[in-house]
Amino acid sequence: MARIGVFVCHCGSNIAGTVNIAQVMAAAQTMPLVTFVADNKYSCSEIGQTAIREAILKQKLERVVIAACSPQMHEATFRKTVAQAGLNPYLLEIANIREHCSWVHSNDKAAATKKAIELVKMAVAKVARHEALFTKEIGLTKKALVIGGGISGIQAALDMANAGYPVILVEREPTIGGRMAQLDKTFPTLDCSSCILTPKMVEVAQHPNITLLTYAEVKSVRGFVGNFEVEILQRARKVDASKCTSCGICWQKCPEKIPAEFNLGLGPRAAIYTPFPQAVPNIPSIDLAHCRYIKYQEFVARGEEGKKPPQCRICERLCPPQAIDWEQSDQVLVEKVGAIVVATGYQTFDHTRYGEFGAGRYPDVITGIQLERLLSASGPTEGEVVRPSDGTHPKTVVFVSCVGSRDERMGRAYCSNVCCMYMAKQAILLKEHDPEVQSYIFYIDIRAGGKGYEEFIRRAQEEARAIYLRGRISHIYQDGKKLIVRGEDSLLGRPVEIAADLVVLATGIEPSAGAKELAQSLNISYDAHGFMVEAHPKLRPVESRTEGIFLAGTAIAPNDIPGCVAQGSAAAVKALAVLSRPSLVSDPMVAIVDPLRCTGCFACQRACAFNAIDSQVTRDGKTIAVVNESLCKGCGLCVSACRGVAMNLKGFSQQQLLAEVNALWR
Amino acid sequence: MALDYQPKIVGFLCNWCSYAGADMAGTSRLTYPPNIRIIRVPCSGRVDATLVTKCFQQGADAVLVAGCHPGECHYSEGNYHARRRFTVLRELLSFLGIEKDRLRLEWVSAAEGKKFSQLVSEFSAEIAHLGPRKDNGKAAGGSL
Amino acid sequence: MAGRTYAYYPGCALHGTAREYDVSARLVCQTLNVKLQEIKDWSCCGASSAASLSPLLGIALPAHNLKLAAAMELPITTPCAMCSYRLKTAAHELKDEATARQVSEVLGSAVGPEVTVEPLLQVLSEDLSFPIRKPLTGLKVACYYGCLLVRPKSVLQFDDEENPQTMDRLITALGAEAIDWGLKTECCGAGLPLARPDLVHRLAYRIISLAQRLGADCIATACPMCQSNLDIHQKEIEAEHGEKLGLPIFYFTQLLGLALGFTPRELYLHKHLTNPLPLLRAKGLG
């Protein structure tokens, strides 16, 4: 029978301060099959690990129980430790006497000690039934997928491509650049946003290692780390990219005009369009919902009576290289990749949910990102800040912070992180555009915790003479040409009323539409708001809990540009750490079928979400289930679905779990 | 019922959400009664009838199964399997002469340390209120 | 709406200072075949005073009236915004068992079964196909809902808190033009005319002057407090601001009555302090 060693960790006073280590050790001595018991001040320290290794060798231990912190913390560490002493790493069990015991029962030392003893007893019973498990080497595709072509995704793609690995960058919009492309200047340096972004966009387009797919969406992801299979829907632009010279005649001559999404409705675009002049790729797309010829075709296809709409086709007639291709259709591409970086970014909160701000009824109540477009030299007004209602220059501008942030009423308890800073930036820029502008900024708190950020706020106050008022806005209404903004100055404890020419709502950040659905198909978790959840909020901030899938940028949480760029690079490094390995190691804790017991009912196959159950015909002609180990994720659903007790899960076998139960209260 | 009666509770916690949630309770030093024994399972859907009935056969007063919130299962739908099985298991318990409320299924995410500690405190108080098992701790069905 | 019968709760104001609201409400209901049966032995709803002294009294008073209506097996309607607010609040609070028990003790018998409460504005806007005899063409109306008709939304469940539309739609259906403006649910200060007349004048001035600046010929209300508050202070406000106001303040039922063909006298329009007759004559409605 096995010789089991038990190591009880003090964890300084974290465990020993509550749990009586000597009593636990004494009790462990009496447990079946235990031949050696020792304690450690800090088991995870080099000294602690060496002591464990030496004991294994000296005491000829065959199984090890370490009573210490959560296995989530150090199971991997200790598996390596026992492996270094020649033991199979899976002949180890952790008894969690810190997170599940000493830290939660510090008010009752006797009960905590009693519980710790029972937890050790359960672990001893379980480890006695452990089997040596062996990993397998599996191949991997040395190529990465980046989802989202904003600044985070661009940075991740460039870093991986520059390290020599092929990257596919998928962007839903017709161009990369994301939200950053919409910004005029960036805080706190007032760098021109497109001046620093455009070179990176061009680098992406020209990089030999990057395949850029714009106007495309990831439809489904299958497989596992190193071996993902991705379906990408490439939407038809109806423009042949190999012929188009980006001359721009098509969108200049297209007669159909609709509000431009990129300018948030502040200006028109044509039905054939590039979102902005520096778009990458600079190939126009035909917006099928608005193109006249497409409408004509649909009308004809419906076979309706009446006057036919015009055929138009002006772009086709005028295009010098004849790049318009009406036959082009959507395509589904299938790609194999080894690692995925998710950088799906954000959209801004829908301010029309605020009835007290006019619910979108007042044209001169705009959002922060709309003001960016007005400030931008490449925007709809070529950088002239004018009121959308009458084109006049606003002199009194009121900023309202936390619109869709820090507001439980709207289901948004979180801070959007960037609004305080962009309001300060916009106040400074407004003053630069027109020295007569007076800005008022209503805030709850000024959040300026970044390098040079607090100084920037002071600059808005002192140089741009922005008046900061602490309080919320209760009502905005139109009085002739003025907007009456009513709120509270909570420092003075008085109501305030300002007759403004323009009101800017600092709308908060929320995850992009469709991010949740994408997370579901990637099998990664997201929080109540739809932000992606990190594997560990502090120690693994750019990893998802699914191996091989990494996160960057505002898909995780509201963040500013430097933060997003840092995360893009960090995610790239994490992905490179996967791609640069010669091969991957499979997790051996997978399901296994007992062929003698399997009746071939395939209840397991119906329970499996990963298509990991195949069928095979035995020599005596019986059809039974067999586990495809490379697809099995080790959830054990098949085990509980199996009626014939034929299915089992290595590492969490029925015998192991029952042994834990059996050890209870004995 | 004796005042110092402490119910014995077994908790099957899924590795990805609820076990990490219980860890979070520890990291946040949120206390709860020391009468729960946690067994780590890969997924709440891994918990089957044998494991649950075995607990009661061993004299457990209650069993808690906790997994990821709906839609957040690491294995995409294991918790839905757990939920379906749970309704059947409760019926099975009453067939065995054990009150249904002694088996509970809850969703606890990795971030919900507070929820976990409150859950254990409440559940423990509820079971204490229910008192010792009416079947004297001997579930029908013989050996399992 | 048409053909239905309601337990009619006029409330104290409509038997006193707001007779014209009561009279016009009954006239239009009769014409539109909305049957009103006044609740026998109805009592005061407590208005703002009872609840501020004792929350329990603030519920018990309307609960008494809810019980009377329940005995009639009819839904309640009331023209007064304050009354509908109190009745609806009480109905909402009584869903809580402990409150219901306490109120039963006060009433001396069990509270009645649940009764629906609909402000008259809601009842009359269910079907906007009115038999109009004199369309209010050319009349620009600022619809003013006040504080109590729509807030709090979770209890009243009637219309949007910031930009309600019910009265606007009704007024538009009469051929008049409802102006879009931002003070529809602004407080007019009706609770404070004795304690803080300065404040009341400021609040009323804001509402009246904005409506006037935006081109409204008059204001339509659904609340006796709002109507009287906006109506009676105009002379004093004019003196304070040295500005001519003279904006007629109607009950929506009076405008509806005019469109249905009733005369200003039948609708008690002569009771208003800010004389509406010159405006009506100018628009060919007098």
Side-chain angles (χ1 to χ4, degrees), chain A residues 289-302:
Chain A
H290 294 97
C291 170
R292 291 187 181 181
Y293 181 51
I294 300 289
K295 280 188 190 161
Y296 166 82
Q297 284 180 321
E298 285 170 356
F299 182 87
V300 173
R302 279 198 303 270

Side-chain angles (χ1 to χ4, degrees), chain A residues 381-415:
Chain A
T381 55
E382 293 176 339
E384 207 177 329
V385 179
V386 293
R387 307 201 323 159
S389 65
D390 57 8
T392 59
H393 294 101
K395 301 295 176 191
T396 305
V397 180
V398 172
F399 288 88
V400 184
S401 69
C402 304
V403 177
S405 310
R406 305 183 69 189
D407 192 345
E408 300 263 8
R409 196 166 46 112
M410 293 289 159
R412 296 289 192 285
Y414 60 86
C415 166

Side-chain angles (χ1 to χ4, degrees), chain B residues 2-122:
Chain B
L3 278 175
D4 58 352
Y5 166 65
Q6 284 288 331
K8 294 180 279 190
I9 302 173
V10 184
F12 290 99
L13 308 191
C14 91
N15 181 47
W16 301 95
C17 294
S18 306
Y19 193 91
D23 279 359
M24 180 61 84
T27 313
S28 317
R29 312 297 201 275
L30 301 166
T31 57
Y32 52 81
N35 47 14
I36 185 167
R37 300 290 174 267
I38 292 167
I39 295 178
R40 182 161 71 126
V41 288
C43 177
S44 53
R46 167 68 186 85
V47 181
D48 62 10
T50 312
L51 289 168
V52 172
T53 46
K54 189 74 184 172
C55 291
F56 285 111
Q57 198 189 27
Q58 279 298 102
D61 292 300
V63 173
L64 169 71
V65 179
C68 308
H69 284 272
E72 293 175 16
C73 175
H74 182 76
Y75 304 108
S76 69
E77 49 197 42
N79 48 1
Y80 297 143
H81 286 258
R83 185 159 64 186
R84 263 173 268 162
R85 190 169 299 119
F86 168 74
T87 45
V88 178
L89 279 179
R90 275 166 59 99
E91 295 307 318
L92 175 67
L93 286 192
S94 52
F95 175 76
L96 293 174
I98 300 168
E99 294 96 328
K100 287 179 183 180
D101 289 345
R102 292 187 186 271
L103 176 63
R104 191 151 161 181
L105 177 70
E106 286 285 343
W107 312 132
V108 178
S109 83
E112 292 175 330
K114 193 166 176 197
K115 178 173 178 185
F116 182 76
S117 89
Q118 284 170 349
L119 170 64
V120 175
S121 305
E122 281 166 25

Side-chain angles (χ1 to χ4, degrees), chain C residues 26-99:
Chain C
R26 287 174 192 270
L27 279 178
V28 297
C29 284
Q30 203 175 16
T31 311
L32 298 173
N33 195 21
V34 175
K35 299 190 185 80
L36 304 178
Q37 279 183 26
E38 186 161 339
I39 300 171
K40 285 202 183 76
D41 194 28
W42 59 264
S43 67
C44 169
C45 73
S48 52
S49 351
S52 65
L53 293 172
S54 149
L56 183 60
L57 182 64
I59 297 165
L61 282 169
H64 170 241
N65 296 300
L66 290 173
K67 204 174 138 181
L68 294 174
M72 297 164 75
E73 293 181 354
L74 289 175
I76 300 190
T77 188
T78 173
C80 172
M82 174 58 95
C83 298
S84 88
Y85 165 68
R86 285 316 310 167
L87 290 166
K88 277 191 163 188
T89 304
H92 180 77
E93 297 279 335
L94 287 173
K95 284 181 187 153
D96 177 58
E97 265 180 49
T99 312

